[in-house]
Amino acid sequence: MAKEKKLVEAITSMEDDFAQWYTDVVKKAELIDYSAVKGCMIIKPDGYAIWENIQHELDRRFKETGVENVYMPMFIPESLLEKEKDHVEGFAPEVAWVTQGGLNTLQERLCVRPTSETLFCDFYRNLIQSYRDLPKVYNQWCSVVRWEKETRPFLRSREFLWQEGHTAHATAEEAEERTIQMLNLYADFCEDFLAMPVVRGRKTEKEKFAGAEDTYTIEALMHDGKALQSGTSHNFGDGFAKAFGIQYTDKENKLQYVYQTSWGMTTRLIGAIIMVHGDNEGLVLPPKVAPTQVMVIPIQMQKEGVLDKAKEVKERLAKVCRVKLDDSDKTPGWKFSEQEMRGIPLRVELGPKDIAANQCVVVRRDTREKIQVSLDELESRIPELLEAVQKDMFARAKAHRDAHIWDAHNYEELRETAENKPGFIRGMWCGDQACEDKIKEDFAVTSRCMPFDDQEQISDVCVCCGKPAHKLVYWGKAY
Amino acid sequence: MAKEKKLVEAITSMEDDFAQWYTDVVKKAELIDYSAVKGCMIIKPDGYAIWENIQHELDRRFKETGVENVYMPMFIPESLLEKEKDHVEGFAPEVAWVTQGGLNTLQERLCVRPTSETLFCDFYRNLIQSYRDLPKVYNQWCSVVRWEKETRPFLRSREFLWQEGHTAHATAEEAEERTIQMLNLYADFCEDFLAMPVVRGRKTEKEKFAGAEDTYTIEALMHDGKALQSGTSHNFGDGFAKAFGIQYTDKENKLQYVYQTSWGMTTRLIGAIIMVHGDNEGLVLPPKVAPTQVMVIPIQMQKEGVLDKAKEVKERLAKVCRVKLDDSDKTPGWKFSEQEMRGIPLRVELGPKDIAANQCVVVRRDTREKIQVSLDELESRIPELLEAVQKDMFARAKAHRDAHIWDAHNYEELRETAENKPGFIRGMWCGDQACEDKIKEDFAVTSRCMPFDDQEQISDVCVCCGKPAHKLVYWGKAY
């Protein structure tokens, strides 16, 4: 019991210390463990099952748009990494280098992939010869390494899991279309599946991906008012194609360069789920992504017939949702706390009185609401409740997000907001990087994105320098 | 057309040069491409889709036995790798070492995991405290690196994909049971899903895994008579537990060491599929693992109604199998060759005459048999035919395997067989490693396994030294 007690007691409240609350949840909900390798995490069964659900659903959505999966080597020869100038400058300072293979020193060192643009380009250079070979819409699921100095589980770790899509197209228009298509796919996935509202937009020159012509992003708002970049989609134009010599013969038999994109989502999403939905009792998982959606907990389990009935309920529910039965020898109270800590969306309480009344008590993790459900209606009511939880969680997260978007029209308003109001700050920007730098320097606030869906001009001058400005920017403190 | 022509013409016959035939098939069936990193392959969409099918089915079977998936770091600190003496001796000579992270030289070098026993042990040491924490039955899907000198796609590459299961148990009996359970799961999977018969058995001391008490293996016979180790399952006893200090408190409150197992299967299986089932027209895929099970090929596609009917047939079949329609502008002949090269189990030919007769012609990839099928019976006949192909492929592979098992009673018979008869050689062994070494030295033949299912003693003396012998061994040339 000592272990369980600790589980429930030791969680810091998010109002006291949000960072510590996050660390507590990650550990106590048994999502990760620390490893012998600094900055690399062990993803435990509950954490990995969330990733499997994300992966399964994203992969299904990818394939509907014609994506094919491949697997590229995890190593990149230094000379290949260096082929595109901006790209190598962006990544070289943070890669891990293999310098010895077996008992020998390598002639050329190999970096462990931080991302695979260069490998895909090298591959496409050979693969694509004619317009008939286009488009190529490939993706891989793998792990990547970035030698970060400060690390936090899921949010920033030296190794993380992700998918990286890499495409090649005949025209610039088609590449742009695919870039936006994947950004929208990401946004829909976050909203539908993770119940997490996002802002879609374009990154500024300063914030875009190393080597990209344009980077698009989805930004989500965490419970503490900080932004989390949750997925990015890059249009490379023909820059990589020119650096790597990826050319095809068009219908008129002329040599042309291809146009490329890449797009990725990572295990960082698990951090986002925690920080968007979690509360002071622990994790709260949206039903669609929850490895276990319903936990059946028998009350007075020693009484005749209770455990049998609980098993029967579990078997019946297994046909309509992902359900488990907790028949361990812990007290019901501990089981409730554990189910809450692990974020399981519904628990079904079933005791002798419930059985006598042919009912059970269903408790929602998100609202704590208790609902009496007739055992005759289990198979219809539980899926309905799961749907309601999913829908309500999105609505609450959206209301929270919308209540934390502030407009700033000048530098004083920006200062006032950045210092006192957690959330996104909307402010006009003149387009000069000096203003971005100054805002970051003064308030630790960065440009998150220039939204698509907002042609609104909230003023006609830059929130920083006061010069004429036409671009609306979402600013925010970021993870 | 030049490209297609090359596809069909350039395959070497397996009788002329089996190794070249293999390389041709791997490339021309578009399973892999070579990469900029020596010894590492690019797995292309058709190759990766086979792996996805293997992964999906194995994972489903694992989970039925209580396996949970996790993800461990890809790096192992040198000091951790060195904790178990036999293990480090087995792996240190063939690992890749990371010595630099970002711009700094690491204080301790990290190896890229060749396998993860040491990481799991370090994890379990913290995770397992009480008998209540047992058993742990974890698995991960990942890539591993072994710095091989000679490499061949799928069979031996510096990086490959695999799953590695790692378990911890309270008793030696339970660990042994899990070891055998997983070996049997592997064997059943190979036979049911890959239509590939295997011999199950135990490895000799010389051939077992570095650090294991016992290694069990499944060995399959390739078309050229060589053996391929297709999956292994290891019982570690409490050796690793003692080296790493993995102890739990039992019900009597005494400290005990855990007993461990590990077991793995890899992308090597794709090489096995090629070499068990392939023929001189290319790949032949068992329907259960085939990414595309049926290719619909319209004949005289320009004639009115043909393409529409072909699309309709494809749509109807999509409800009962994995089907594609080849409506490219190539000739039917080229399409047939491509479908054959790619190993797609059935093709459906559909031309104006067929349509008039309300039928199609189905051609089996494995036997070339042509079958007229009424369009009214498509949805029942095609799945029946896929089942027949799967079953017949297993029966043929088994007949081939059984026809290539030879008994040798003495050294001369062993020589005669090893030199002239490709396949497994059954011969008694005294248990002395000197005999194993001599047989390997003289004939390049190694002990593949000591079979479970054969208590038969084909003689009472060692096939090598003539001393008394009780162990029957399957010997063979191996990949």
Side-chain angles (χ1 to χ4, degrees):
Chain A
M1 291 294 160
K3 197 173 167 184
E4 293 151 28
K5 192 151 188 177
K6 216 171 120 198
L7 176 89
V8 185
E9 278 176 2
I11 184 168
T12 307
S13 96
M14 59 167 83
E15 291 76 18
D16 288 349
D17 183 344
F18 193 79
Q20 188 58 47
W21 168 84
Y22 177 80
T23 308
D24 286 353
V25 172
V26 163
K27 278 283 292 176
K28 305 217 179 273
E30 303 206 16
L31 302 182
I32 69 116
D33 209 340
Y34 296 101
S35 79
V37 192
K38 194 187 164 308
C40 293
M41 60 188 166
I42 293 168
I43 308 181
K44 294 172 78 173
D46 274 8
Y48 197 78
I50 294 173
W51 182 241
E52 283 181 316
N53 288 345
I54 289 174
Q55 195 172 10
H56 185 263
E57 176 67 13
L58 264 183
D59 200 66
R60 191 185 67 70
R61 293 179 185 224
F62 289 167
K63 283 176 178 162
E64 277 180 6
T65 76
V67 172
E68 296 183 289
N69 286 336
V70 299
Y71 186 78
M72 304 295 283
M74 71 153 84
F75 300 122
I76 307 174
E78 187 164 17
S79 55
L80 197 61
L81 188 69
E82 286 172 344
K83 277 208 174 176
E84 209 286 334
K85 204 182 116 290
D86 292 336
H87 188 70
V88 65
E89 276 176 16
F91 283 103
E94 58 174 36
V95 298
W97 293 102
V98 173
T99 58
Q100 290 165 289
L103 304 172
N104 304 314
T105 299
L106 300 183
Q107 292 195 313
E108 179 181 16
R109 54 182 194 165
L110 304 172
C111 87
V112 183
R113 66 178 158 225
T115 180
S116 306
E117 275 73 12
T118 53
L119 287 168
F120 273 92
C121 283
D122 192 53
F123 176 33
Y124 283 156
R125 188 170 51 85
N126 296 311
L127 193 66
I128 298 168
Q129 304 294 334
S130 137
Y131 69 94
R132 287 168 196 262
D133 300 326
L134 292 172
K136 288 287 176 233
V137 186
Y138 288 170
N139 173 66
Q140 73 172 345
W141 293 93
C142 63
S143 74
V144 287
V145 169
R146 297 179 187 176
W147 217 253
E148 307 277 0
K149 294 215 172 65
E150 301 214 0
T151 61
R152 298 191 65 195
F154 296 123
L155 300 178
R156 194 173 291 278
S157 54
R158 286 188 171 168
E159 181 187 6
F160 56 90
L161 303 181
W162 81 345
Q163 60 68 217
E164 48 177 324
H166 295 269
T167 71
H169 306 271
T171 65
E173 294 67 35
E174 208 184 295
E176 178 68 8
E177 202 175 291
R178 175 57 75 167
T179 314
I180 300 294
Q181 178 183 24
M182 299 317 287
L183 189 82
N184 286 332
L185 187 155
Y186 286 163
D188 293 345
F189 169 79
C190 285
E191 303 199 334
D192 293 354
F193 201 74
L194 307 182
M196 185 170 92
V198 295
V199 176
R200 307 169 200 209
R202 195 154 57 88
K203 287 284 187 192
T204 61
E205 197 63 20
K206 174 185 159 89
E207 297 286 335
K208 74 183 194 188
F209 182 84
E213 208 162 76
D214 261 316
T215 288
Y216 300 101
T217 179
I218 51 173
E219 302 279 329
L221 197 70
M222 304 298 104
H223 217 85
D224 62 347
K226 283 197 196 168
L228 189 84
Q229 177 180 304
S230 304
T232 47
S233 186
H234 315 292
N235 185 345
F236 291 119
D238 58 3
F240 273 90
K242 284 183 171 161
F244 282 81
I246 314 173
Q247 287 182 292
Y248 71 96
T249 313
D250 70 11
K251 287 183 186 172
E252 281 74 46
N253 217 28
K254 277 191 215 148
L255 270 183
Q256 303 285 0
Y257 286 104
V258 301
Y259 293 83
Q260 290 173 273
T261 82
S262 82
W263 23 274
M265 271 195 162
T266 79
T267 35
R268 177 168 242 226
L269 284 176
I270 301 174
I273 294 169
I274 298 168
M275 291 194 293
V276 167
H277 299 299
D279 66 21
N280 283 334
E281 269 65 47
L283 195 59
V284 183
L285 289 172
K288 287 187 183 173
V289 79
T292 304
Q293 297 173 315
V294 179
M295 181 64 86
V296 178
I297 300 179
I299 316 289
Q300 296 186 277
M301 204 168 69
Q302 71 292 353
K303 291 248 168 107
E304 202 189 314
V306 173
L307 190 55
D308 285 345
K309 196 71 182 175
K311 282 181 184 165
E312 183 198 313
V313 164
K314 188 229 156 191
E315 290 310 319
R316 285 174 54 193
L317 286 177
K319 294 191 182 84
V320 294
C321 64
R322 298 187 287 270
V323 59
K324 283 191 176 169
L325 166 67
D326 188 347
D327 58 1
S328 65
D329 59 4
K330 301 162 192 164
T331 66
W334 288 121
K335 293 180 185 180
F336 297 168
S337 297
E338 285 189 318
Q339 167 257 325
E340 287 173 5
M341 180 62 77
R342 292 172 64 197
I344 297 168
L346 297 178
R347 75 168 173 255
V348 171
E349 304 176 4
L350 190 76
K353 283 183 196 161
D354 300 306
I355 295 169
N358 192 41
Q359 64 163 41
C360 61
V361 177
V362 180
V363 185
R364 283 174 62 152
R365 173 66 183 88
D366 62 331
T367 57
R368 302 293 172 58
E369 194 189 342
K370 292 189 172 207
I371 303 136
Q372 292 191 341
V373 171
S374 159
L375 292 183
D376 297 335
E377 293 174 351
L378 267 185
E379 288 91 342
S380 58
R381 287 289 283 140
I382 295 289
E384 275 169 26
L385 283 167
L386 288 170
E387 245 174 74
V389 171
Q390 181 85 24
K391 200 161 142 274
D392 294 352
M393 284 179 74
F394 178 73
R396 267 196 308 280
K398 188 161 184 303
H400 177 270
R401 197 267 313 263
D402 292 345
H404 290 80
I405 301 179
W406 319 99
D407 285 1
H409 301 88
N410 55 49
Y411 203 66
E412 261 319 296
E413 284 182 23
L414 182 62
R415 174 197 305 280
E416 167 66 22
T417 316
E419 286 174 356
N420 302 306
K421 295 176 175 171
F424 285 123
I425 308 171
R426 303 199 313 162
M428 300 304 293
W429 175 55
C430 61
D432 189 343
Q433 197 184 310
C435 288
E436 265 185 291
D437 291 342
K438 182 170 162 55
I439 290 173
K440 186 174 181 186
E441 177 74 25
D442 291 352
F443 312 123
V445 155
T446 51
S447 68
R448 305 313 311 149
C449 68
M450 298 177 283
F452 288 149
D453 51 357
D454 204 335
Q455 292 304 310
E456 207 182 334
Q457 301 254 332
I458 63 166
S459 95
D460 51 11
V461 295
C462 177
V463 72
C464 183
C465 66
K467 288 184 190 153
H470 305 288
K471 289 176 185 158
L472 180 63
V473 168
Y474 274 64
W475 307 87
K477 292 176 182 153
Y479 277 96
Chain B
M1 289 294 162
K3 197 171 168 185
E4 292 151 27
K5 193 151 189 178
K6 214 173 122 198
L7 176 90
V8 184
E9 276 176 2
I11 183 168
T12 307
S13 97
M14 58 166 81
E15 291 75 18
D16 288 348
D17 183 345
F18 194 79
Q20 188 58 47
W21 168 84
Y22 177 80
T23 308
D24 286 352
V25 172
V26 162
K27 279 281 292 177
K28 304 216 179 273
E30 302 205 17
L31 302 181
I32 70 119
D33 209 338
Y34 295 102
S35 78
V37 192
K38 195 189 164 307
C40 293
M41 61 187 164
I42 293 168
I43 308 182
K44 293 171 79 172
D46 274 9
Y48 197 79
I50 294 173
W51 182 241
E52 284 182 314
N53 287 345
I54 289 174
Q55 195 172 11
H56 185 261
E57 176 66 14
L58 264 183
D59 200 68
R60 191 185 67 72
R61 293 180 185 223
F62 289 167
K63 283 176 178 161
E64 277 180 6
T65 76
V67 172
E68 296 182 289
N69 286 336
V70 298
Y71 186 78
M72 305 294 283
M74 71 153 84
F75 300 122
I76 307 173
E78 186 163 18
S79 55
L80 197 62
L81 188 70
E82 285 172 345
K83 277 207 174 175
E84 209 286 333
K85 202 181 117 292
D86 292 337
H87 188 70
V88 65
E89 277 176 16
F91 283 102
E94 58 174 38
V95 299
W97 292 102
V98 172
T99 58
Q100 289 164 292
L103 303 173
N104 304 315
T105 299
L106 301 182
Q107 292 194 314
E108 179 181 17
R109 54 182 195 164
L110 304 170
C111 87
V112 183
R113 66 181 157 222
T115 179
S116 307
E117 275 72 14
T118 54
L119 287 169
F120 273 93
C121 284
D122 192 54
F123 177 35
Y124 284 156
R125 187 170 52 85
N126 296 311
L127 193 66
I128 298 167
Q129 303 295 333
S130 136
Y131 68 92
R132 289 168 196 263
D133 300 325
L134 292 171
K136 288 284 177 239
V137 186
Y138 289 170
N139 174 65
Q140 73 173 346
W141 293 93
C142 63
S143 75
V144 287
V145 169
R146 296 178 188 177
W147 217 252
E148 306 277 0
K149 293 215 173 64
E150 302 214 359
T151 61
R152 298 191 64 194
F154 296 124
L155 300 177
R156 194 173 292 277
S157 54
R158 286 188 172 168
E159 182 187 6
F160 56 90
L161 303 179
W162 79 346
Q163 60 68 218
E164 47 178 325
H166 295 269
T167 73
H169 306 270
T171 65
E173 293 68 35
E174 208 183 295
E176 178 68 8
E177 204 175 289
R178 175 57 74 167
T179 314
I180 300 294
Q181 179 182 23
M182 299 317 287
L183 190 83
N184 285 332
L185 187 154
Y186 285 163
D188 292 345
F189 169 79
C190 285
E191 302 197 336
D192 294 353
F193 201 73
L194 308 182
M196 184 170 92
V198 296
V199 176
R200 307 169 201 211
R202 194 153 58 88
K203 287 285 186 191
T204 61
E205 197 62 21
K206 175 186 159 89
E207 297 286 336
K208 75 184 195 188
F209 182 83
E213 208 161 75
D214 261 316
T215 288
Y216 301 100
T217 180
I218 50 172
E219 302 279 328
L221 198 68
M222 304 299 103
H223 217 85
D224 62 347
K226 283 197 196 169
L228 189 85
Q229 178 179 303
S230 304
T232 48
S233 187
H234 315 291
N235 186 343
F236 291 119
D238 58 3
F240 273 91
K242 284 182 172 163
F244 282 82
I246 314 174
Q247 286 183 293
Y248 71 95
T249 313
D250 69 11
K251 288 183 185 173
E252 281 74 46
N253 216 29
K254 277 190 213 150
L255 269 184
Q256 303 285 359
Y257 286 103
V258 302
Y259 294 82
Q260 291 172 271
T261 81
S262 82
W263 22 274
M265 270 195 163
T266 80
T267 34
R268 177 168 241 226
L269 284 175
I270 300 175
I273 295 169
I274 298 167
M275 292 195 292
V276 168
H277 299 300
D279 66 21
N280 283 335
E281 269 64 48
L283 194 59
V284 183
L285 289 172
K288 287 187 184 175
V289 80
T292 305
Q293 296 173 314
V294 179
M295 181 65 86
V296 179
I297 300 179
I299 315 288
Q300 295 186 276
M301 205 168 71
Q302 71 292 354
K303 291 248 169 110
E304 202 190 316
V306 173
L307 191 56
D308 284 344
K309 196 71 182 177
K311 281 181 185 165
E312 182 198 313
V313 163
K314 189 232 155 186
E315 290 309 318
R316 284 172 57 193
L317 286 177
K319 296 192 180 81
V320 294
C321 64
R322 297 186 288 270
V323 60
K324 282 192 177 167
L325 166 67
D326 188 347
D327 57 2
S328 65
D329 59 3
K330 301 163 193 164
T331 66
W334 288 120
K335 294 180 184 180
F336 297 168
S337 296
E338 285 188 318
Q339 167 258 324
E340 287 173 5
M341 179 63 75
R342 292 172 63 197
I344 297 168
L346 296 179
R347 76 167 174 257
V348 172
E349 304 176 2
L350 191 75
K353 282 184 198 162
D354 302 306
I355 295 170
N358 191 41
Q359 64 162 42
C360 61
V361 177
V362 180
V363 185
R364 283 174 62 153
R365 172 65 183 88
D366 63 332
T367 58
R368 302 292 171 59
E369 194 189 342
K370 292 190 171 207
I371 304 136
Q372 293 191 339
V373 171
S374 158
L375 292 181
D376 297 336
E377 293 174 351
L378 266 184
E379 288 93 341
S380 59
R381 287 289 284 139
I382 295 290
E384 274 169 28
L385 283 168
L386 289 169
E387 245 176 73
V389 171
Q390 181 85 24
K391 200 162 141 273
D392 294 352
M393 284 179 73
F394 178 73
R396 267 196 308 280
K398 189 161 184 304
H400 177 268
R401 196 268 312 263
D402 292 346
H404 291 81
I405 301 178
W406 319 99
D407 286 1
H409 301 87
N410 55 50
Y411 204 66
E412 261 319 297
E413 284 184 21
L414 182 61
R415 174 196 305 281
E416 166 66 21
T417 316
E419 287 174 356
N420 301 306
K421 295 176 175 171
F424 285 124
I425 308 171
R426 305 201 312 162
M428 300 304 292
W429 175 56
C430 62
D432 189 344
Q433 195 182 311
C435 288
E436 263 185 292
D437 291 341
K438 182 172 162 53
I439 290 173
K440 185 174 181 185
E441 177 76 24
D442 290 354
F443 311 123
V445 154
T446 53
S447 67
R448 305 313 312 151
C449 68
M450 299 178 283
F452 288 148
D453 52 357
D454 201 335
Q455 292 305 306
E456 207 184 335
Q457 302 254 330
I458 63 167
S459 96
D460 51 12
V461 295
C462 177
V463 72
C464 182
C465 67
K467 288 183 189 156
H470 306 289
K471 289 175 185 158
L472 179 64
V473 169
Y474 275 64
W475 307 88
K477 290 174 184 155
Y479 278 95

